[in-house]
């Protein structure tokens, strides 16, 4: 298994002259000649699909990436979680009188942690949760860099909060888990393995009620702040005034080819029970070419995917259900 979190093998959406060049670029290995032959066929199909998409001159460009040698079923099994039910999400709205900037990118503040790689585990929800926690902790402490926190603890330990490890979960439930569990460990003390394991977290409460065990990186006293379902004006408001927001959506068949531009799809679903991938909204803006408004979103598929690990998604149309399931951590207990 590859080591997670190392620097990517570079060049998203690269054009490869041959399957051998693709294999070498991404360091691919296959269990058998038959597996390699099948992967080569999928790679050729991906090349044709990407070329056909880009010939249409839409709002986003497709490209080859580390998933281009997989079938749709292989891709879904490798990185997507089971569809989640987001219909219960409801909560805070927006201040209609707020004067918000036209564009925003929390990466410019240095509070967005590096793009990580979930590997072959449907643990995207843990990376969305941890990415939000790391950003909000940096904002709370007015720090350039917050401690890196443990996705693996969430995979292993949050089952009582309607999460299922590598099979999926929701960040709003994970924020509540951290509140009641006594804290979330640092990545160093509870490293990511990308598989379901027995829970190894053991927080010892002090007289103040906060965990004192070594390696606990953050406590979420207020749990989850849920944004009103379907309200993208509220998403914009809280993204601008509070910090990055965990969001979820449905990954449809075309999304894995994304390379750049503003993603918009006619094949994805936007229902409350269709979401199968959780990510982190870190900004918003308007594309100067298409004039489309968008959310800037951090993914957990390494820097070798998309726009250096990020993507832009059309906003204010509930694209692929991105407005159904939004939350961020309450580090103040309000």
């Amino acid at each position: 298994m590859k080591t997670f979190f190392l620097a990517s093998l570079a060049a998203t959406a690269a054009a490869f002259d041959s399957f051998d060049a693709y294999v070498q670029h991404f360091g691919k290995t296959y269990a058998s000649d038959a597996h390699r032959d099948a992967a080569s066929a999928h790679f050729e199909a991906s090349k044709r699909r990407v070329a056909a998409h880009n010939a249409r001159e839409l709002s986003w460009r497709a490209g080859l990436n580390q998933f281009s040698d997989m079938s749709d079923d292989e891709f879904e099994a490798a990185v997507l979680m089971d569809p989640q039910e987001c219909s219960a999400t409801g909560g805070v709205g927006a201040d209609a009188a707020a004067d918000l900037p036209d564009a925003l990118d929390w990466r410019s503040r240095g509070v967005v942690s590096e793009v990580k790689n979930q590997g072959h585990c449907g643990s995207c929800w843990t990376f969305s949760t941890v990415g939000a926690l790391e950003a909000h902790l940096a904002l709370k402490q007015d720090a350039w860099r917050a401690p890196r926190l443990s996705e693996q603890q969430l995979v292993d330990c949050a089952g009582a909060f309607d999460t299922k490890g590598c099979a999926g979960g929701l960040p709003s439930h994970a924020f509540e888990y951290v509140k009641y569990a006594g804290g979330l460990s640092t990545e160093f003390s509870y490293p990511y393995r990308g598989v379901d394991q027995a829970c190894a977290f053991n927080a010892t409460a002090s007289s103040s009620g906060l965990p004192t065990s070594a390696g606990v990186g953050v406590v979420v006293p207020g749990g989850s702040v849920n944004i009103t379902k379907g309200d993208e004006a509220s998403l914009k408001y809280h993204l601008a005034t509070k910090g990055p927001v965990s969001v979820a959506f449905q990954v449809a068949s075309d999304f894995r080819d994304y390379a750049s531009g503003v993603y918009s799809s006619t094949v994805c679903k936007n229902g409350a029970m269709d979401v199968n991938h959780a990510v982190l909204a870190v900004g918003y803006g308007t594309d100067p070419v298409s004039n489309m408004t968008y959310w800037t979103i951090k993914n957990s598929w390494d820097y070798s995917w998309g726009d250096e690990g990020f993507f832009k998604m059309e906003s204010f149309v509930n694209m692929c259900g991105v407005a159904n399931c939004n939350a961020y951590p309450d580090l103040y207990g309000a």
Side-chain angles (χ1 to χ4, degrees), residues 28 30 34-43 46 66-80 119-121 256:
K28 294 279 188 172
Y30 303 100
H35 186 195
R36 181 185 173 91
D37 290 344
S40 178
H42 294 314
F43 169 77
S46 294
Q66 67 268 46
F67 305 124
S68 298
D69 62 342
M70 294 181 178
S71 68
D72 286 344
D73 289 343
E74 287 172 328
F75 170 73
E76 291 174 10
V79 299
L80 299 183
H120 288 189
C121 169
R256 66 171 168 140

Side-chain angles (χ1 to χ4, degrees), residues 125-181:
W125 60 280
T126 72
F127 287 84
S128 175
T129 300
V130 164
L133 283 167
E134 289 168 344
H136 283 260
L137 189 61
L139 289 168
K140 178 181 180 180
Q141 297 177 347
D142 195 24
W144 185 257
R145 175 184 169 92
R148 296 300 179 253
L149 302 173
S150 174
E151 293 88 6
Q152 190 66 47
Q153 181 183 334
L154 296 174
V155 171
D156 297 343
C157 305
F161 288 76
D162 195 27
T163 67
K164 298 176 177 63
C166 285
L170 296 174
S172 58
H173 296 168
F175 296 139
E176 293 297 322
Y177 159 77
V178 179
K179 172 183 178 180
Y180 289 103

Side-chain angles (χ1 to χ4, degrees), residues 227-251:
I227 297 174
T228 302
K229 176 178 174 290
D231 187 350
E232 289 185 77
S234 292
L235 173 57
K236 180 179 180 179
Y237 171 77
H238 289 275
L239 183 56
T241 61
K242 299 298 183 181
V245 175
S246 292
V247 301
F249 69 105
Q250 193 214 31
V251 170

Side-chain angles (χ1 to χ4, degrees), residues 16 82 98 107 125 140 168 179 187 208 215 276 297-298 303 326:
F16 299 98
D82 295 339
R107 292 175 293 181
W125 60 280
K140 178 181 180 180
K179 172 183 178 180
E187 182 180 67
S208 67
N276 59 9
I297 301 178
K298 177 187 176 184
Y303 286 104
N326 306 332

Side-chain angles (χ1 to χ4, degrees), residues 252-297:
S253 58
D254 57 351
F255 180 75
R256 66 171 168 140
D257 296 329
Y258 174 89
S260 63
V262 180
Y263 176 77
S264 182
S265 176
T266 60
V267 298
C268 65
K269 300 177 182 178
N270 63 1
M273 299 182 69
D274 295 320
V275 299
N276 59 9
H277 191 48
V279 285
L280 185 68
V282 300
Y284 60 81
T286 302
D287 182 74
V289 176
S290 65
N291 205 37
M292 292 170 63
T293 60
Y294 61 80
W295 306 117
T296 303
I297 301 178

